[in-house]
Amino acid sequence: MTTQARPLEGIRVIDYSHFLAGPYLSRCLAAMGAEVIKVERPGEGDAGRAHPYFIEGQSGYFMQQNMGKQGLCINVKDPKGLEMMQKLIETADVFVENYRPGALNKLGLGYEALAEINPGLVYCSVSAYGHTGPDSHRAGFGLIAEAKSGIMAMVGEPGEAPPLLRVALGDMYTGIHGVASICAALLGRVKSGKGQHIDMALYDCLVSMHEYAVQCYTLSNGEEIPQQTGHDLPTSTLYGVFSATDGDLVIAAQVDVAWKRFAGLVAEQTGNAAFAEDSRFHCAAGRNEHRLDILPVVRAWVAGKSVAACLQDLDAIDVPCAKVQTIDEVLADPQIKARGMVLEQEHPVVGKVRLANLPFRFSGCDTTEKTPAPLLGQHNRQIASSLGYAAGDIDALIRDGVLYSEDKVSELGLDTLGETA
C-alpha cells in the first residue's frame, strides 16, 4: 500500500549525460521520486537515441534508461542557451554528467562554475578513469573498464580469448554507486548546507567489485592470480554450469550440508555409493583439491537427464539450482511477474511498451515509473516557462535554434504549456 511520498520527491536533478551510466543513474533517482530534467544537445540529442532496438524510429535502449524524465533540448553554446541553463542550475539539487574530464569546463558547466551559481549543488561526474590519475584524460566505455579491471581475464575457457559479458556491468554498477553517493551527499548537505563534487570512475567501481581476486593476490604475496576456469569455480566445488539433454543448468552445492545431500542423490541414482562416502569430498578444501575427480561424475549424472528432471531432483533435497534461461524465459518467469520486474508504459509514438523495471521495493511507496522517456525537446516550453520565460521569448528561442525539438513533439501536440511530467 502506498502511504508515503517517494523518498526523493522535492529533489530536482539535471541529467546532462548520455548513453548509459549517467542516464541509468538518473533514471533510478526519478523512480525514487526526484524531478529529473534530461538536457540534450540540438540535433540528435543523447547518443543513446541512436542505439537499437528500434520501433517506429524510437530507441528502446533510450526509452528504458530515460523513463520518468522531462526533456529539454538546448544549445548551451549559444549565450542565451547558457543563460537558461544557468537559471535551471540555480533551481537544482543535483547535476549528473558523464563526459570526459574537463569537457564541460569549456562550456561553463564544470563543477567550479556551477558551484558558484549554486553552492548547494551535488555534482556527480561519471567517467572511465575518473578526474585524477595518469589516465584521467583518456576516453573509455564499460568494455574498456571491464578489460582493464581484471574481471574479463577470469571468464571464459582457459587459453581462449575472454568473451564479452553482454551486459553493461561497468556502466550499471557505476550508475548505482552514483545513486548511493548522491543520496549520501544530499543527506550530508542537510547538516553542512553545502554540495560537493562526486567523482565516479567505471574502472574504480569494477576493481572494487572483486570480492576474491584482489585479496587472493595480496594475501598470497603475489603467488595466486585467479585465471579462467570455464564452467566452474575451483575454489568453490561444487559450483558451476552443467549440460543436460535439453539445456544447461547451474548447481550450487559448495556448502558442506548441501554437498552431502547432493552427493547422496547422485550416488543413489547412479549406483556409485563411493561418491557419497568418499571422505576426501566431505570438506570444502578436499572437494576443491579433488574437483577433477568430482566433475566427471556430476557431468555424467546431469548429461543423462533433462533440465526439468535435474531441477526437480535438486529442489526435492534443497540444493540451490536453476536453469540457464534465455530472455524470453526470464520475461515469462512467474517470479519475475510476481515481483513486477517488467513494467508497461504508454509511449506517445510507439504505443504500449514493456521494459525492464528497477529492483527498488519500498514498503510505503511505489517506485514503478509510469511516465515514458521524453521525445527530444518534449518539455522545452514547460521548463522555460517555469524559469520565468514569457511565451514570446520562448518562441524567439525556438526560432533562433536555442531550443530544439523533434518534429513529433509538435505533430502530437506535446509542445503546449501543460503539465511537465
Side-chain angles (χ1 to χ4, degrees):
M1 180 182 294
T2 301
T3 59
Q4 302 175 29
R6 291 184 293 174
L8 294 182
E9 286 192 15
I11 297 297
R12 171 172 276 190
V13 178
I14 309 304
D15 175 13
Y16 198 72
S17 66
H18 57 284
F19 255 129
L20 186 51
Y24 174 73
L25 188 167
S26 56
R27 176 199 170 183
C28 293
L29 298 177
M32 289 189 280
E35 176 197 18
V36 179
I37 298 176
K38 171 86 176 178
V39 181
E40 301 178 72
R41 296 172 295 183
E44 301 301 321
D46 182 341
R49 290 185 182 273
H51 195 292
Y53 185 82
F54 296 107
I55 179 170
E56 301 292 339
Q58 300 293 314
S59 163
Y61 188 94
F62 181 87
M63 284 192 281
Q64 178 161 317
Q65 304 309 334
N66 293 281
M67 63 179 68
K69 306 176 187 180
Q70 301 170 40
L72 174 66
C73 188
I74 185 171
N75 181 9
V76 296
K77 293 182 179 180
D78 186 296
K80 295 189 291 292
L82 181 59
E83 180 184 5
M84 178 183 286
M85 189 69 172
Q86 290 170 337
K87 288 183 178 181
L88 186 61
I89 295 298
E90 290 176 357
T91 71
D93 299 285
V94 178
F95 185 89
V96 178
E97 62 91 8
N98 61 346
Y99 287 85
R100 198 183 307 197
L104 294 193
N105 293 339
K106 301 172 184 177
L107 295 175
L109 297 176
Y111 172 67
E112 289 76 11
L114 298 192
E116 287 186 12
I117 297 171
N118 182 350
L121 186 68
V122 174
Y123 187 112
C124 184
S125 297
V126 179
S127 59
Y129 296 101
H131 283 232
T132 59
D135 290 333
S136 61
H137 66 286
R138 300 181 65 192
F141 292 92
L143 175 66
I144 308 303
E146 289 156 17
K148 293 272 287 183
S149 69
I151 292 175
M152 191 176 285
M154 297 190 298
V155 297
E157 288 294 330
E160 295 183 5
L164 293 177
L165 300 182
R166 291 303 301 272
V167 291
L169 186 66
D171 290 278
M172 307 294 264
Y173 195 64
T174 305
I176 202 63
H177 272 60
V179 172
S181 300
I182 287 170
C183 290
L186 288 171
L187 182 61
R189 191 181 67 171
V190 173
K191 295 181 179 180
S192 70
K194 298 179 180 179
Q196 56 185 307
H197 183 208
I198 299 168
D199 177 10
M200 301 294 306
L202 276 66
Y203 190 16
D204 292 350
C205 287
L206 288 185
V207 171
S208 79
M209 197 173 190
H210 283 294
E211 92 294 0
Y212 174 74
V214 171
Q215 44 97 350
C216 175
Y217 179 78
T218 58
L219 299 184
S220 69
N221 292 319
E223 293 182 6
E224 294 288 338
I225 299 179
Q227 305 290 327
Q228 293 170 300
T229 60
H231 297 101
D232 75 295
L233 286 180
T235 55
S236 295
T237 306
L238 180 86
Y239 192 93
V241 186
F242 301 89
S243 295
T245 57
D246 58 350
D248 301 316
L249 68 148
V250 294
I251 302 173
Q254 79 281 23
V255 179
D256 287 348
V257 291
W259 167 261
K260 291 176 182 178
R261 294 194 297 269
F262 175 71
L265 170 69
V266 174
E268 178 183 353
Q269 292 191 354
T270 62
N272 182 3
F275 186 69
E277 297 169 358
D278 196 325
S279 61
R280 297 177 303 164
F281 307 157
H282 290 174
C283 67
R287 288 193 297 276
N288 291 339
E289 183 179 355
H290 301 286
R291 62 186 272 273
L292 296 182
D293 294 325
I294 292 173
L295 291 175
V297 177
V298 177
R299 287 170 179 156
W301 175 75
V302 174
K305 302 162 70 72
S306 67
V307 170
C310 289
L311 298 181
Q312 181 177 353
D313 288 346
L314 293 168
D315 283 339
I317 61 170
D318 197 24
V319 168
C321 58
K323 181 180 181 182
V324 177
Q325 296 190 139
T326 53
I327 200 65
D328 57 321
E329 293 172 317
V330 174
L331 297 185
D333 191 328
Q335 178 66 21
I336 290 301
K337 290 182 177 180
R339 296 288 291 175
M341 281 307 299
V342 179
L343 59 81
E344 197 169 88
Q345 293 180 335
E346 193 70 29
H347 189 274
V349 176
V350 175
K352 191 169 291 185
V353 294
R354 294 196 307 149
L355 300 166
N357 202 353
L358 293 170
F360 310 127
R361 298 293 179 269
F362 292 86
S363 63
C365 60
D366 181 11
T367 58
T368 301
E369 191 54 68
K370 308 299 192 299
T371 309
L375 300 181
L376 185 60
Q378 180 176 335
H379 301 98
N380 286 347
R381 287 186 179 275
Q382 296 96 313
I383 294 169
S385 177
S386 73
L387 295 174
Y389 287 83
D393 295 330
I394 297 172
D395 289 339
L397 291 171
I398 292 172
R399 281 197 309 271
D400 293 342
V402 178
L403 293 177
Y404 172 91
S405 63
E406 61 179 288
D407 293 339
K408 286 287 185 182
V409 173
S410 57
E411 289 175 13
L412 296 172
L414 300 175
D415 56 349
T416 59
L417 293 175
E419 293 294 326
T420 57

